[in-house]
Amino acid sequence: MQSEAQRRPRLTPKGERVRGRIIQEAARLIYERGVAGTTLDDVKKAADVSGSQMYHYFPDKDELVQAVIDYQSGTITGNQRQADLSSAEGLRAWRDMIIAQARTAEGKGGCPLGSLTGQLAETDPQARARLATGFEQWRAAIGDGLRRAHDAGRLAPGIDLDDLAVTLLAVLQGGLLLAQAQRDSQPLETAIDTLLTLASPSPRASDRHARGRR
């Protein structure tokens, strides 16, 4: 089966840039206003494209929404893979970055993928499948980071890393949802810190791991 990218007509570099700008602006507007509150005209104005350009790249809103899901999934997964969870400094920086983003926004918007799931999962099977794929990619990226943290002795020795990756993703989603409802990043901060504390090795186990690496 061909992927959507393979089925789509090949674009020139300029065409790819225009299409990318449309998707980025659509993602921003949908995150701020929701799917129902964002029209193709809104996106056209924000991306500074003509009507013919808009409909050339995205004949209907549904196709644009699917592209936004893929864009948000790729952005989140890419950012997650860049995070260094193998050092105490990297783990702290990752934690601080997530909380700072929620704090700056005062919880508004929630998670880009989570908010789209709430809007689309029950009415759009294609969108739900794409969102599920996006969450799985995110979970896998978290899992890779946790394996590096585990190898560096930052996690409890016997912990199941696959289960921990799912749990951490669920903690992020729940924490962001509470932050959105309460307009306060504290629930997210509490949830992340509690899980990381529970997953951390005891001082004695950490010392044994450090001696074993010498």
Side-chain angles (χ1 to χ4, degrees), residues 2-3 21 34 58 63 67 69 89 113 115 119-120 126 136 158 171 173 176 192:
Q2 286 185 317
S3 68
R21 187 168 74 248
F58 296 102
E63 190 170 330
I69 294 172
E89 296 78 11
L113 284 185
S115 63
Q119 296 173 69
L120 300 171
Q126 184 180 6
E136 175 55 27
V171 162
Q173 290 304 302
L176 287 167
I192 293 176

Side-chain angles (χ1 to χ4, degrees), residues 8 10 27 66 72 81 92 104 128 164 169 174 190 206:
R8 200 172 62 233
R10 186 180 298 276
Q66 308 303 322
Q72 295 288 26
R81 292 199 177 281
R92 186 74 180 179
T104 300
R128 187 204 60 76
L164 182 59
L169 180 55
T190 299
S206 183

Side-chain angles (χ1 to χ4, degrees), residues 43-116:
V43 177
K44 181 185 73 174
K45 292 175 184 176
D48 191 24
V49 296
S50 66
S52 60
Q53 283 178 304
M54 186 73 207
Y55 292 103
H56 171 71
Y57 295 108
F58 296 102
D60 56 51
K61 183 177 177 180
D62 180 67
E63 190 170 330
L64 179 58
V65 169
Q66 308 303 322
V68 166
I69 294 172
D70 292 345
Y71 170 80
Q72 295 288 26
S73 298
T75 300
I76 291 172
T77 301
N79 290 339
Q80 185 67 57
R81 292 199 177 281
Q82 290 179 15
D84 175 20
L85 306 186
S86 64
S87 67
E89 296 78 11
L91 189 60
R92 186 74 180 179
W94 172 79
R95 173 257 187 212
D96 290 348
M97 176 193 68
I98 292 173
I99 293 171
Q101 289 174 344
R103 185 176 295 153
T104 300
E106 297 181 336
K108 295 176 184 176
C111 168
L113 284 185
S115 63
L116 285 169

